[in-house]
Structures are given as C-alpha cells and as structure tokens.
Amino acid sequence: MFRRTFWFTAGAAAGVWATTKVNRKIRQLAPESLAAQAADKAVEAGHRIKDFALDVREGMARREAELGEALGLEAPDAPALPAGGTPTTRPTLPYHSYNRNEDH
C-alpha cells in the first residue's frame, strides 16, 4: 500500500514539475516574449557599440596629442564650450543651391 502511494505521489510531482517547465518554455517562445528579448539584446548591443565608439574616440584624441607632441605641433586653442558641452550658436555656412538647372 505504501509503495503504491509513494509512486503515485512521485508521478504526480513529476507531472506537475514537467507541466510547469513546459508552460514556462511556451511563454518564453511566445512572439511577445521573443520580441522583448530581441529588443533587450538590441539595446545591449547599442550600449556596447556606444562604449566602443567612445573608447575609439578617446584613443584617437590621445594618439593625436602624442603625434602633435612628437612633431612639435601645437593644437589651436578651441573656443570654450558652455557647461552642456555644445556650442550655443552655430556658424553660418554659405548657401549652395542644389538646383541642377540653375546654370543652364
């Protein structure tokens, strides 16, 4: 009697465990879940690319300074930027018409 009860309980527990695992996997493979996972990975890749670009830019500036120092060149003084890091006024550029028929 105890043996049958033990195996019945073990089978019921295994069934509940398997059902839970299958339902969890089905939810993971749902289109909404896959789209969310893809979006998360895209955002993560974007952060990695941004970090890489910042590292490259830093390395370029450092190497340019090294080369300028080695060649005895002085960098022109750049205008000071406001606290935000971007200039407040844009330089005016000459107007160029892109009309192909203008000269004909």
Side-chain angles (χ1 to χ4, degrees), residues 1-82:
M1 178 76 176
F2 289 113
R3 182 178 270 177
R4 285 184 185 171
T5 305
F6 169 77
W7 286 114
F8 177 77
T9 306
V16 168
W17 176 80
T19 302
T20 304
K21 286 291 226 180
V22 167
N23 285 335
R24 188 176 299 155
K25 188 53 95 172
I26 287 173
R27 272 187 261 124
Q28 283 180 348
L29 296 176
E32 299 85 18
S33 179
L34 291 175
Q37 289 175 10
D40 290 342
K41 288 185 181 193
V43 168
E44 183 180 326
H47 289 304
R48 286 185 192 158
I49 291 171
K50 179 184 173 189
D51 291 342
F52 175 73
L54 291 174
D55 289 343
V56 167
R57 187 173 286 168
E58 179 186 337
M60 285 176 22
R62 185 176 32 232
R63 182 64 179 150
E64 185 176 338
E66 289 173 4
L67 289 173
E69 184 179 314
L71 295 174
L73 301 175
E74 292 185 23
D77 293 333
L81 297 178

Side-chain angles (χ1 to χ4, degrees), residues 82-95:
T86 56
T88 55
T89 59
R90 294 178 53 178
T92 58
L93 300 175
Y95 174 74

